[in-house]
PDB file of all heavy atoms in Angstrom:
ATOM      1  N   ASP A  96      96.629  79.298  95.019  1.00 75.00           N
ATOM      2  CA  ASP A  96      97.829  79.910  95.313  1.00 75.00           C
ATOM      3  C   ASP A  96      97.930  81.451  94.777  1.00 75.00           C
ATOM      4  O   ASP A  96      97.159  81.792  93.936  1.00 75.00           O
ATOM      5  CB  ASP A  96      99.036  79.149  94.615  1.00 75.00           C
ATOM      6  CG  ASP A  96      99.246  77.812  95.073  1.00 75.00           C
ATOM      7  OD1 ASP A  96      98.889  77.588  96.309  1.00 75.00           O
ATOM      8  OD2 ASP A  96      99.734  76.968  94.389  1.00 75.00           O
ATOM      9  N   GLN A  97      98.823  82.232  95.546  1.00 71.00           N
ATOM     10  CA  GLN A  97      98.848  83.643  95.215  1.00 71.00           C
ATOM     11  C   GLN A  97      98.999  83.809  93.766  1.00 71.00           C
ATOM     12  O   GLN A  97     100.070  83.296  93.117  1.00 71.00           O
ATOM     13  CB  GLN A  97      99.845  84.315  96.030  1.00 71.00           C
ATOM     14  CG  GLN A  97      99.912  85.852  95.830  1.00 71.00           C
ATOM     15  CD  GLN A  97     100.904  86.589  96.749  1.00 71.00           C
ATOM     16  OE1 GLN A  97     101.828  85.857  97.179  1.00 71.00           O
ATOM     17  NE2 GLN A  97     100.764  87.905  97.027  1.00 71.00           N
ATOM     18  N   GLY A  98      98.337  84.750  93.009  1.00 80.00           N
ATOM     19  CA  GLY A  98      98.574  85.086  91.692  1.00 80.00           C
ATOM     20  C   GLY A  98      97.748  84.039  90.705  1.00 80.00           C
ATOM     21  O   GLY A  98      97.753  84.300  89.525  1.00 80.00           O
ATOM     22  N   LYS A  99      97.143  83.033  91.240  1.00 93.00           N
ATOM     23  CA  LYS A  99      96.493  82.177  90.438  1.00 93.00           C
ATOM     24  C   LYS A  99      94.956  82.156  90.454  1.00 93.00           C
ATOM     25  O   LYS A  99      94.247  81.397  89.731  1.00 93.00           O
ATOM     26  CB  LYS A  99      96.930  80.597  90.686  1.00 93.00           C
ATOM     27  CG  LYS A  99      98.410  80.473  90.488  1.00 93.00           C
ATOM     28  CD  LYS A  99      98.822  79.017  90.690  1.00 93.00           C
ATOM     29  CE  LYS A  99     100.398  78.803  90.374  1.00 93.00           C
ATOM     30  NZ  LYS A  99     100.651  77.465  90.642  1.00 93.00           N
ATOM     31  N   THR A 100      94.387  82.983  91.283  1.00 97.00           N
ATOM     32  CA  THR A 100      92.934  83.137  91.508  1.00 97.00           C
ATOM     33  C   THR A 100      92.722  84.675  91.254  1.00 97.00           C
ATOM     34  O   THR A 100      93.009  85.413  92.181  1.00 97.00           O
ATOM     35  CB  THR A 100      92.464  82.682  92.802  1.00 97.00           C
ATOM     36  OG1 THR A 100      92.914  81.406  93.125  1.00 97.00           O
ATOM     37  CG2 THR A 100      90.985  82.832  92.854  1.00 97.00           C
ATOM     38  N   SER A 101      92.060  85.069  90.238  1.00 97.00           N
ATOM     39  CA  SER A 101      91.740  86.497  89.971  1.00 97.00           C
ATOM     40  C   SER A 101      90.244  86.690  89.622  1.00 97.00           C
ATOM     41  O   SER A 101      89.550  85.867  89.076  1.00 97.00           O
ATOM     42  CB  SER A 101      92.557  86.970  88.775  1.00 97.00           C
ATOM     43  OG  SER A 101      92.283  86.163  87.511  1.00 97.00           O
ATOM     44  N   VAL A 102      89.867  87.975  90.042  1.00 98.00           N
ATOM     45  CA  VAL A 102      88.508  88.419  89.886  1.00 98.00           C
ATOM     46  C   VAL A 102      88.627  89.664  89.051  1.00 98.00           C
ATOM     47  O   VAL A 102      89.265  90.594  89.495  1.00 98.00           O
ATOM     48  CB  VAL A 102      87.653  88.580  91.117  1.00 98.00           C
ATOM     49  CG1 VAL A 102      86.225  89.018  90.869  1.00 98.00           C
ATOM     50  CG2 VAL A 102      87.710  87.391  92.015  1.00 98.00           C
ATOM     51  N   THR A 103      88.063  89.715  87.833  1.00 98.00           N
ATOM     52  CA  THR A 103      88.137  90.897  86.903  1.00 98.00           C
ATOM     53  C   THR A 103      86.709  91.361  86.536  1.00 98.00           C
ATOM     54  O   THR A 103      85.821  90.715  86.324  1.00 98.00           O
ATOM     55  CB  THR A 103      88.836  90.523  85.733  1.00 98.00           C
ATOM     56  OG1 THR A 103      90.142  90.018  85.990  1.00 98.00           O
ATOM     57  CG2 THR A 103      89.127  91.651  84.764  1.00 98.00           C
ATOM     58  N   TRP A 104      86.690  92.813  86.516  1.00 98.00           N
ATOM     59  CA  TRP A 104      85.507  93.396  86.046  1.00 98.00           C
ATOM     60  C   TRP A 104      85.958  94.776  85.530  1.00 98.00           C
ATOM     61  O   TRP A 104      87.097  95.126  85.708  1.00 98.00           O
ATOM     62  CB  TRP A 104      84.516  93.708  87.261  1.00 98.00           C
ATOM     63  CG  TRP A 104      83.125  93.955  86.749  1.00 98.00           C
ATOM     64  CD1 TRP A 104      82.395  95.075  86.951  1.00 98.00           C
ATOM     65  CD2 TRP A 104      82.269  93.078  86.154  1.00 98.00           C
ATOM     66  NE1 TRP A 104      81.067  94.900  86.461  1.00 98.00           N
ATOM     67  CE2 TRP A 104      80.924  93.751  85.996  1.00 98.00           C
ATOM     68  CE3 TRP A 104      82.461  91.760  85.744  1.00 98.00           C
ATOM     69  CZ2 TRP A 104      79.827  93.104  85.257  1.00 98.00           C
ATOM     70  CZ3 TRP A 104      81.191  91.126  85.062  1.00 98.00           C
ATOM     71  CH2 TRP A 104      79.950  91.833  84.940  1.00 98.00           C
ATOM     72  N   ASP A 105      85.216  95.384  84.727  1.00 97.00           N
ATOM     73  CA  ASP A 105      85.653  96.607  84.120  1.00 97.00           C
ATOM     74  C   ASP A 105      84.650  97.854  84.264  1.00 97.00           C
ATOM     75  O   ASP A 105      84.657  98.821  83.447  1.00 97.00           O
ATOM     76  CB  ASP A 105      85.876  96.365  82.597  1.00 97.00           C
ATOM     77  CG  ASP A 105      84.642  95.976  81.806  1.00 97.00           C
ATOM     78  OD1 ASP A 105      83.580  95.883  82.543  1.00 97.00           O
ATOM     79  OD2 ASP A 105      84.687  95.814  80.557  1.00 97.00           O
ATOM     80  N   ALA A 106      83.721  97.831  85.293  1.00 97.00           N
ATOM     81  CA  ALA A 106      82.945  99.022  85.525  1.00 97.00           C
ATOM     82  C   ALA A 106      83.803 100.198  85.890  1.00 97.00           C
ATOM     83  O   ALA A 106      84.919 100.083  86.410  1.00 97.00           O
ATOM     84  CB  ALA A 106      81.954  98.684  86.616  1.00 97.00           C
ATOM     85  N   HIS A 107      83.277 101.458  85.591  1.00 95.00           N
ATOM     86  CA  HIS A 107      84.010 102.669  85.841  1.00 95.00           C
ATOM     87  C   HIS A 107      83.075 103.925  86.055  1.00 95.00           C
ATOM     88  O   HIS A 107      81.926 103.703  85.833  1.00 95.00           O
ATOM     89  CB  HIS A 107      84.993 102.871  84.671  1.00 95.00           C
ATOM     90  CG  HIS A 107      84.233 102.870  83.343  1.00 95.00           C
ATOM     91  ND1 HIS A 107      83.898 101.720  82.788  1.00 95.00           N
ATOM     92  CD2 HIS A 107      83.877 103.887  82.465  1.00 95.00           C
ATOM     93  CE1 HIS A 107      83.305 102.008  81.483  1.00 95.00           C
ATOM     94  NE2 HIS A 107      83.300 103.374  81.397  1.00 95.00           N
ATOM     95  N   ASP A 108      83.787 104.944  86.316  1.00 87.00           N
ATOM     96  CA  ASP A 108      83.209 106.297  86.522  1.00 87.00           C
ATOM     97  C   ASP A 108      82.509 106.491  88.022  1.00 87.00           C
ATOM     98  O   ASP A 108      82.587 107.504  88.483  1.00 87.00           O
ATOM     99  CB  ASP A 108      82.155 106.600  85.475  1.00 87.00           C
ATOM    100  CG  ASP A 108      82.733 106.893  84.127  1.00 87.00           C
ATOM    101  OD1 ASP A 108      83.917 107.362  84.098  1.00 87.00           O
ATOM    102  OD2 ASP A 108      82.075 106.709  83.042  1.00 87.00           O
ATOM    103  N   SER A 109      81.854 105.579  88.501  1.00 88.00           N
ATOM    104  CA  SER A 109      81.234 105.747  89.808  1.00 88.00           C
ATOM    105  C   SER A 109      81.918 104.792  90.895  1.00 88.00           C
ATOM    106  O   SER A 109      81.785 103.492  90.712  1.00 88.00           O
ATOM    107  CB  SER A 109      79.822 105.340  89.784  1.00 88.00           C
ATOM    108  OG  SER A 109      79.167 105.378  91.000  1.00 88.00           O
ATOM    109  N   ILE A 110      82.573 105.489  91.836  1.00 88.00           N
ATOM    110  CA  ILE A 110      83.330 104.593  92.786  1.00 88.00           C
ATOM    111  C   ILE A 110      82.282 104.023  93.820  1.00 88.00           C
ATOM    112  O   ILE A 110      82.655 102.993  94.480  1.00 88.00           O
ATOM    113  CB  ILE A 110      84.363 105.401  93.648  1.00 88.00           C
ATOM    114  CG1 ILE A 110      83.558 106.548  94.358  1.00 88.00           C
ATOM    115  CG2 ILE A 110      85.443 106.000  92.699  1.00 88.00           C
ATOM    116  CD1 ILE A 110      84.524 107.355  95.278  1.00 88.00           C
ATOM    117  N   ALA A 111      81.076 104.456  93.786  1.00 89.00           N
ATOM    118  CA  ALA A 111      80.044 103.954  94.706  1.00 89.00           C
ATOM    119  C   ALA A 111      79.424 102.535  94.262  1.00 89.00           C
ATOM    120  O   ALA A 111      79.206 101.695  95.195  1.00 89.00           O
ATOM    121  CB  ALA A 111      78.809 104.840  94.846  1.00 89.00           C
TER     122      ALA A 111
END
Side-chain angles (χ1 to χ4, degrees):
D96 292 339
Q97 186 177 21
K99 295 184 179 180
T100 306
S101 64
V102 181
T103 304
W104 200 246
D105 61 357
H107 53 280
D108 288 330
S109 172
I110 61 173

